[in-house]
Amino acid sequence: MTVMTHTMLKGSNVPVDAAAVRAVLRWTPGAGVPDVDASALLLGASGRVRSDEDFVFYNQPRHPSGLVRRLPKRSVPEGLTDTIEADLGALDASVDQVVIAASSDGAAFEQVADLRILLFDAAFADGEPLAVFDVRPETGEETAIICGELYRRGEGWKFRAVGQGYPTGLIGLATAFGISVDESEAADEDRASGGAQEPAAAAPLPPAVPPPSAPPGPVPAAATGTGPDSQATVQHQQPSYGYPPPAAPPVAAGAQQPAYGYPQPAAAPPAYGYPQPAAAAAHAPDPHFVLPPQGPQFVRS
């Protein structure tokens, strides 16, 4: 049987005359190249799965109907392959599409060289492919890609080259089509792909502890407004001994402050010896004062 292979562009489609097909993903392995897994989603007319059983992948390699299944990986001269086989003619009429996807494990698809999907007639799986589509990631950050889709058209089926990528991996792709994903599985997938984790919720802060009560003492000058002005350009330095002296009383106009020490009180005695005698005016000569009689020692002979 002679088969004409269609080399497809993104968005193009071809009719599928085979009753059953094999969609083969093929890529070139190597250092730093992640493993690639094929998967399939059976969609209803709404464009979503009818139940979680409509997801065929490495942990659920066979649909309950047995009509869509994932075959073991193979090594071929051109590289590695992973295959989805679908019996289109026997599928329930409620299945409107079979989406063929690829997911990468541990790195994005920019690290995967020569990824392509080849569609074979299952009856002649070793013959020439019906269609070939070279899958190219759009951004390089995709970790899951819809490579192509088989869809009903009238009484038959067609195949469309899609090439739509998802940076959220196989779980992100599956949930987009209505698959319910367990949260623990999503967390495992996120850790495996090195994705960022949600930050842990901050623990409630403990109540503020009041500072210990200070012993009673003088009120700081800053609290009373009598301290230095923090906005002043020049701050005057306090003496390095004792506490600051009390403020001096107002000085009368024209009075001169002493050049030493602190201002003296008006009636302060001098800082030396005993008190000085009163003013001379208080001790004027007494006109009635008479000298006592002089003794013989003062008489001339």
Side-chain angles (χ1 to χ4, degrees), residues 1-298:
M1 177 181 177
T2 303
V3 176
M4 178 180 178
T5 300
H6 296 273
T7 302
M8 305 185 68
L9 299 176
K10 184 175 181 178
S12 62
N13 62 80
V14 296
V16 177
D17 296 330
V21 296
R22 285 185 179 177
V24 179
L25 298 181
R26 191 178 75 196
W27 68 97
T28 302
V33 177
D35 194 20
V36 176
D37 295 299
S39 57
L41 294 115
L42 284 66
L43 309 181
S46 65
R48 296 170 68 85
V49 297
R50 301 164 302 169
S51 73
D52 288 351
E53 294 178 340
D54 285 343
F55 187 26
V56 176
F57 67 115
Y58 48 80
N59 280 346
Q60 186 172 276
R62 188 180 185 88
H63 190 266
S65 67
L67 300 177
V68 180
R69 51 199 170 273
R70 179 175 180 263
L71 303 181
K73 289 183 178 180
R74 295 176 56 194
S75 178
V76 297
E78 297 84 0
L80 292 177
T81 67
D82 202 6
T83 302
I84 297 291
E85 186 173 78
D87 190 347
L88 300 177
L91 280 174
D92 189 272
S94 62
V95 178
D96 198 60
Q97 301 175 58
V98 178
V99 172
I100 309 299
S103 58
S104 60
D105 182 17
F109 270 103
E110 66 178 348
Q111 305 294 330
V112 180
D114 306 320
L115 177 65
R116 59 171 39 184
I117 182 170
L118 305 96
L119 189 69
F120 293 89
D121 184 337
F124 306 94
D126 295 329
E128 293 297 315
L130 303 175
V132 175
F133 172 48
D134 290 330
V135 183
R136 298 287 181 265
E138 294 180 338
T139 67
E141 298 179 359
E142 296 89 344
T143 49
I145 297 179
I146 298 176
C147 299
E149 62 181 7
L150 296 154
Y151 63 98
R152 291 185 187 272
R153 181 61 69 205
E155 297 298 321
W157 289 80
K158 283 191 169 185
F159 176 75
R160 178 184 292 118
V162 180
Q164 178 182 346
Y166 292 76
T168 49
L170 186 60
I171 286 181
L173 182 148
T175 53
F177 287 101
I179 295 294
S180 300
V181 178
D182 184 83
E183 292 183 0
S184 61
E185 292 180 2
D188 292 342
E189 177 79 9
D190 193 54
R191 283 192 293 270
S193 61
Q197 302 296 316
E198 289 292 329
L205 296 175
V209 178
S213 57
V219 179
T224 62
T226 59
D229 183 3
S230 60
Q231 303 301 319
T233 304
V234 177
Q235 297 291 334
H236 299 282
Q237 186 175 4
Q238 295 287 353
S240 58
Y241 51 87
Y243 296 107
V251 180
Q256 184 178 2
Q257 293 285 351
Y260 54 89
Y262 303 120
Q264 299 296 321
Y272 54 88
Y274 299 103
Q276 300 299 310
H283 298 275
D286 186 0
H288 303 289
F289 179 77
V290 177
L291 290 173
Q294 296 184 5
Q297 67 270 30
F298 298 109

